[in-house]
Amino acid sequence: MDRRHLGNSGLSVSPIGFGAFKIGRNVGTKYAASYDLPDDAAAERLLHGVLDLGINLIDTAPAYGLSEERIGRFLSRRRDEFVLSTKAGEEFSPETGSRYDFSRGAIEASVERSRFRLRADVLDLVFIHSDGRDREIIEHSGAVDALRALKDRGVIRAIGFSGKTVDGARLAIAWADAIMVTYHVNDRSHESVIAEAASRGVGVVVKKGLASGMLTPDRAIPFVLGNPAVHSMVVGGLNLNHLRDNCRAATAALHAP
């Protein structure tokens, strides 16, 4: 697949990224249909298949269960082939659900745990994993300062914000290398801030572009990637054939006359 510069971050990403939620967690999800968690062998085949398709952005998070650990274990020898994106601020356990802590110490500790699980000395991109209190997190927690300091230390190449509100995304543009926003044909609320971010050299990664499986790829992918301000669209799943079809749809959409 073609590569696109992720704003001014210095990273180049494929227009389709792989969202690694389903290889690590199948409880407390927002998907309409339930699914079995793949075993190690299936997860390993899928991850290698993703890279072989030309997808070079893999997005995970501590809150995605086994996801980080599996990526580190199965893809460490191919580390130079992909951009590794994770998050900080949310942890999850089946017993207690999600727990959020955006203090500076918690963010620093989260990043260290992610580096260990992912077997990566340097993380390419780390997003703050907002619980919806976007403005409060950006303005009154230690999360932004923590990520800036880790970037200055060389532990992280680029920092960003994965939020839930237009206001939060707009505030993040002032300091972030990239923002992650929900955007699809039935939710265009972030359209203006997507354009603003791209115009200011901030990378734009779209999450939930298929509306958590409610939209068909042949409709959703051309819409999202048809916006020139979008640099990549993260798509999850456990079926490599479906991911292959998504890549074909992306290529067709980007090369349409």
Side-chain angles (χ1 to χ4, degrees):
M1 299 185 76
D2 294 337
R3 301 287 185 265
R4 293 170 154 188
H5 294 298
L6 186 63
N8 296 331
S9 69
L11 304 172
S12 294
V13 296
S14 51
I16 293 291
F18 176 66
F21 184 100
K22 286 187 175 181
I23 67 165
R25 175 177 154 191
N26 67 346
V27 296
T29 76
K30 297 180 181 178
Y31 293 100
S34 61
Y35 55 92
D36 293 328
L37 200 65
D39 61 19
D40 280 352
E44 183 174 14
R45 285 194 301 272
L46 178 64
L47 287 169
H48 283 288
V50 164
L51 296 187
D52 293 341
L53 285 174
I55 295 172
N56 87 320
L57 173 62
I58 295 183
D59 179 69
T60 183
Y64 294 178
L66 298 172
S67 180
E68 285 189 321
E69 188 273 335
R70 283 179 157 179
I71 291 167
R73 185 150 45 102
F74 300 141
L75 292 184
S76 59
R77 70 180 183 272
R78 301 182 69 175
R79 182 63 190 86
D80 61 348
E81 296 182 39
F82 65 99
V83 172
L84 180 56
S85 164
T86 191
K87 305 178 186 73
E90 180 186 1
E91 304 280 342
F92 178 88
S93 72
E95 295 76 23
T96 62
S98 288
R99 303 179 308 282
Y100 297 93
D101 190 340
F102 301 101
S103 66
R104 182 165 184 158
I107 296 296
E108 291 172 345
S110 177
V111 168
E112 287 305 304
R113 290 191 296 270
S114 290
R115 291 172 68 204
F116 176 78
R117 287 190 291 258
L118 290 162
R119 305 188 186 189
D121 292 332
V122 179
L123 301 175
D124 294 317
L125 177 58
V126 177
F127 291 101
I128 295 172
H129 207 172
S130 174
D131 61 358
R133 297 175 296 126
D134 293 357
R135 177 177 286 274
E136 180 180 344
I137 293 165
I138 291 172
E139 295 184 337
H140 301 296
S141 78
V144 176
D145 288 342
L147 289 189
R148 281 173 162 166
L150 291 166
K151 182 181 175 182
D152 288 343
R153 281 174 44 199
V155 172
I156 301 171
R157 291 191 173 92
I159 60 177
F161 189 74
S162 176
K164 299 183 184 298
T165 67
V166 174
D167 185 42
R170 186 162 282 115
L171 286 171
I173 289 173
W175 56 268
D177 297 303
I179 57 173
M180 180 178 279
V181 298
T182 297
Y183 179 59
H184 52 75
V185 68
N186 294 332
D187 183 353
R188 301 175 64 170
S189 58
H190 282 78
E191 204 158 61
S192 63
V193 76
I194 287 171
E196 182 181 347
S199 72
R200 294 173 61 177
V202 176
V204 177
V205 178
V206 166
K207 59 184 176 180
K208 298 184 174 68
L210 301 180
S212 299
M214 301 302 292
L215 296 173
T216 59
D218 61 342
R219 183 184 183 204
I221 291 173
F223 172 80
V224 173
L225 295 181
N227 185 331
V230 172
H231 301 114
S232 188
M233 172 185 181
V234 171
V235 177
L238 297 173
N239 187 311
L240 198 59
N241 288 328
H242 291 169
L243 290 170
R244 184 178 291 110
D245 290 342
N246 292 339
C247 291
R248 288 172 178 161
T251 299
L254 294 171
H255 292 91

